[in-house]
Amino acid sequence: MKLDLLLRNADIITMDGRRPQATSLGVWQGRIVGLDEDLDGLDAAEVVDLAGATVTPGFIDAHCHTTWFGLGLGEVDVSSARGLNQLYALLEAGIAADSAPGPGTVPAPGTAAGWLLATGFSQQQHGGEFPDIAVLDRVTGNRPLFMRHNSGHMAVVNTAALRLAHADQASFPDPDGGVIVRDAGGRPTGLVQETAQQLIQELILPYSSEAIEDALDRATSYYAAEGITSFTEAGIGGGWIGHSPEELAAYQRAASAGRLHARAQLMPVLDMLHPLGGQHPPDTRPAGLDLGITSGFGDDFLSLGPAKVFLDGSLLGETAAVSQDYCSHGHTDNTGNTGYFQAEPEEIRGKIEAAYAAGWSIAAHAIGDRAVDLAIDIITACAAKFPPRAMPNRIEHASMTRPEQLQRLAAARIAVTPQASFFSDGGDGMTASLGAERLGWAYRAASFLTAGVTLAGSSDRPVADGNVLRGMQAFVDRRTASGAVFGNPDERLTPLQALAAYTTGAAAATGTTHIKGSLSPGKLADFTVLSGSPLSAGSIAELKVLATAVGGAFSFQAPGIGSRAVGDSAAATTIFCTATNRS
């Protein structure tokens, strides 16, 4: 037998408790065939000497928004602005640099042409203030603006955009599960929350398949450079998070063309499911996709995950459904504000049960503790009524969990995806919203593991920083932008637990433990090469990704790291030159 690839002279962290460490790894036909002595006497088409660099299982981001991120890479990025004047200047520069029609041009319905699209806004970067719609109107003229908040749960628009949606009048009603924020005189301020965003987005959507394919190419090239080999796209096809009813087809075309540089699991938005025909148990009204396709359909590279459903909003936007009022702070009076659900609880329950009856697993976006209660109640009831799921049910974010909810999550075998990446940019703002009394409930980590809850590492990118190494560091130190420790210091993870979150934990939460998450014989040869060990580095965040491989094929090799071929004609031998990048 001749291997396709042999790694030598490496510090391999396998994340397999039966064999935690190794120095050599062999790959054949995209799979790991053995470690160390398993490889004695075997030749390889390519031998790579890693010169002591560290190898880990490929990183898995269990919750991100890849199409959104890739599209945002081509939009006006306002995330660097500090102060509204800087933000206005970036928007002006975006208009000046854009070759799209000028400010007097009204865009055609259903197209992004003529719009000013911006990304990366957060009031936390501007002292808690939102843009003045009058200033936005002066900057943009008649050109409609859609500037998504980095939480994804609200957006800033101008009068031109509101006018196109016929939502510029005080008499226009708020949609269910959303708010058009208005001033004391009833005039829109330009802030649209939750489902109210769809009023504007429907004027832009759907994006073309070509635009989505381009976005996936850009985004997953970025992922490869950060060591990410698999990800879960948390909502496709519809709602305010989807970009086209043909989003899955765009993914398929990108994969076929070699433009998808990491394995993808896709969550259809629950609202995209529809009633199914056929014979079903009494008292069930299943809803799914055509031909009875459900969670798990696909292959090792592209597959369908759970159905995604939004229960509530966000902590940064103070729209998540919590059991106690948000704290008043700055100019914000939160008396009586406990957030809200995105639909009536019984309506949500009915839709989830219909999807569950059709065979879907569920991924419920539930951030506030009141929403977590609802998610646990519904999923537990479904699990008692219908056959077991092969793919775990999940609560996305589970940002506010009271102590008694931990055992309920563990008993129901519901996985959670809390994002440590929120601590740096959003931690101080969330602290002000929640107050000291319940801050210990926020973005748990260690207590989930202690309770036996599956914890998956994820970023929610582009809502927050998607760099996995920085995410691991955040799990370990929980530092906010001010330097404070966010929430309960006892929730900090060890470096090994942080690495597990993005490997074995994420694999468990995505139902893929049998093929990924650890470097074990028989599993996919997905791995990341680092400049040092995350288990012993002084700062995990300062480590460098030297290379990334999916199925044993390198999707990324760091520029400047370099390699040089040596050896005889029987096998191409590569030595990674990593000395200047070691920690």
Side-chain angles (χ1 to χ4, degrees):
M1 176 183 183
K2 187 170 185 177
L3 301 174
D4 296 321
L5 174 67
L6 175 61
L7 304 183
R8 284 181 174 164
N9 193 20
D11 170 24
I12 303 173
I13 304 171
T14 67
M15 299 305 292
D16 181 350
R18 297 165 299 180
R19 188 174 196 166
Q21 300 288 140
T23 60
S24 299
L25 180 147
V27 177
W28 183 66
Q29 294 191 352
R31 300 267 177 166
I32 299 168
V33 297
L35 301 160
D36 290 350
E37 67 276 5
D38 302 337
L39 308 172
D40 288 350
L42 295 180
D43 195 6
E46 182 180 9
V47 179
V48 177
D49 186 324
L50 287 176
T54 297
V55 177
T56 71
F59 298 150
I60 304 170
D61 188 332
H63 179 119
C64 57
H65 303 283
T66 303
T67 303
W68 172 13
F69 174 60
L71 290 168
L73 291 173
E75 297 174 354
V76 177
D77 184 359
V78 300
S79 61
S80 63
R82 295 298 182 269
L84 292 176
N85 287 335
Q86 288 187 15
L87 182 143
Y88 300 141
L90 287 173
L91 294 177
E92 281 188 305
I95 289 176
D98 195 344
S99 60
T105 302
V106 177
T111 173
W115 284 76
L116 178 62
L117 302 176
T119 189
F121 169 73
S122 172
Q123 76 276 21
Q124 304 296 328
Q125 298 160 345
H126 308 287
E129 294 189 31
F130 288 87
D132 184 333
I133 192 170
V135 178
L136 291 176
D137 289 345
R138 285 200 299 272
V139 169
T140 58
N142 289 327
R143 185 168 179 181
L145 165 72
F146 184 79
M147 179 166 63
R148 204 192 289 254
H149 189 275
N150 68 2
S151 70
H153 288 266
M154 53 185 164
V156 174
V157 301
N158 62 357
T159 299
L162 290 165
R163 189 180 299 122
L164 285 173
H166 307 292
D168 55 323
Q169 300 300 314
S171 59
F172 190 89
D174 288 336
D176 290 340
V179 175
I180 302 168
V181 179
R182 304 176 188 277
D183 63 20
R187 293 177 294 272
T189 65
L191 182 64
V192 287
Q193 296 178 333
E194 304 300 342
T195 59
Q197 296 177 93
Q198 287 181 252
L199 298 169
I200 311 300
Q201 288 176 299
E202 285 171 357
L203 302 171
I204 304 169
L205 298 173
Y207 283 88
S208 70
S209 178
E210 292 77 9
I212 295 174
E213 291 170 52
D214 289 345
L216 294 176
D217 191 2
R218 287 192 297 264
T220 58
S221 294
Y222 211 98
Y223 290 4
E226 293 183 337
I228 295 170
T229 57
S230 294
F231 65 94
T232 296
E233 172 78 90
I236 65 163
W240 61 262
I241 203 66
H243 295 88
S244 168
E246 298 181 358
E247 210 160 347
L248 174 56
Y251 260 96
Q252 288 181 300
R253 283 191 281 268
S256 296
R259 304 184 74 196
L260 191 64
H261 309 292
R263 303 181 194 275
Q265 181 186 76
L266 313 181
M267 293 182 180
V269 173
L270 189 73
D271 289 342
M272 293 299 295
L273 309 187
H274 56 77
L276 297 176
Q279 295 185 359
H280 303 282
D283 302 321
T284 63
R285 289 184 291 275
L289 296 180
D290 292 322
L291 301 178
I293 293 170
T294 61
S295 302
F297 180 81
D299 58 25
D300 293 344
F301 199 80
L302 179 61
S303 63
L304 293 177
K308 171 75 177 293
V309 55
F310 287 91
L311 271 58
D312 66 344
S314 76
L315 285 179
L316 283 174
E318 297 179 339
T319 57
V322 293
S323 57
Q324 302 171 22
D325 291 3
Y326 287 102
C327 298
S328 297
H329 54 91
H331 304 293
T332 305
D333 179 6
N334 272 318
T335 303
N337 180 17
T338 57
Y340 49 85
F341 293 117
Q342 295 208 355
E344 289 299 319
E346 286 311 304
E347 180 185 345
I348 295 172
R349 185 185 300 272
K351 288 183 176 181
I352 291 177
E353 183 168 312
Y356 215 90
W360 288 89
S361 298
I362 296 297
H365 169 110
I367 285 187
D369 62 308
R370 191 157 54 98
V372 171
D373 274 334
L374 180 61
I376 296 173
D377 289 346
I378 295 174
I379 291 173
T380 300
C382 286
K385 185 175 181 179
F386 299 104
R389 306 288 94 144
M391 184 174 293
N393 296 305
R394 300 168 37 159
I395 292 182
E396 305 307 297
H397 313 296
S399 308
M400 293 288 294
T401 48
R402 300 187 309 274
E404 69 272 17
Q405 292 175 322
L406 296 174
Q407 289 306 320
R408 294 190 67 203
L409 288 165
R413 297 185 178 179
I414 297 172
V416 296
T417 62
Q419 286 79 27
S421 49
F422 286 165
F423 301 155
S424 178
D425 289 339
D428 292 324
M430 288 188 287
T431 298
S433 294
L434 298 175
E437 205 170 287
R438 56 182 164 171
L439 195 57
W441 304 351
Y443 286 94
R444 295 177 182 273
S447 59
F448 280 135
L449 297 178
T450 300
V453 178
T454 297
L455 170 67
S458 68
S459 66
D460 204 20
R461 178 187 254 161
V463 175
D465 182 10
N467 183 285
V468 172
L469 293 170
R470 289 195 288 268
M472 280 194 265
Q473 185 65 48
F475 267 131
V476 170
D477 64 28
R478 296 179 68 91
R479 293 290 178 185
T480 70
S482 69
V485 174
F486 179 74
N488 184 349
D490 292 340
E491 294 290 351
R492 290 179 290 199
L493 299 183
T494 67
L496 180 60
Q497 289 171 328
L499 177 58
Y502 289 96
T503 54
T504 53
T510 54
T512 56
T513 296
H514 61 295
I515 54 171
K516 64 179 76 165
S518 63
L519 299 176
S520 311
K523 291 195 175 183
L524 297 169
D526 298 352
F527 58 85
T528 302
V529 182
L530 301 173
S531 59
S533 171
L535 306 186
S536 58
S539 170
I540 301 172
E542 293 179 10
L543 295 175
K544 307 296 182 186
V545 174
L546 306 181
T548 306
V550 178
F554 287 104
S555 57
F556 170 77
Q557 288 178 271
I561 300 304
S563 61
R564 58 186 178 89
V566 298
D568 56 30
S569 58
T573 302
T574 302
I575 297 179
F576 269 60
C577 305
T578 62
T580 59
N581 289 274
R582 299 300 303 276
S583 295

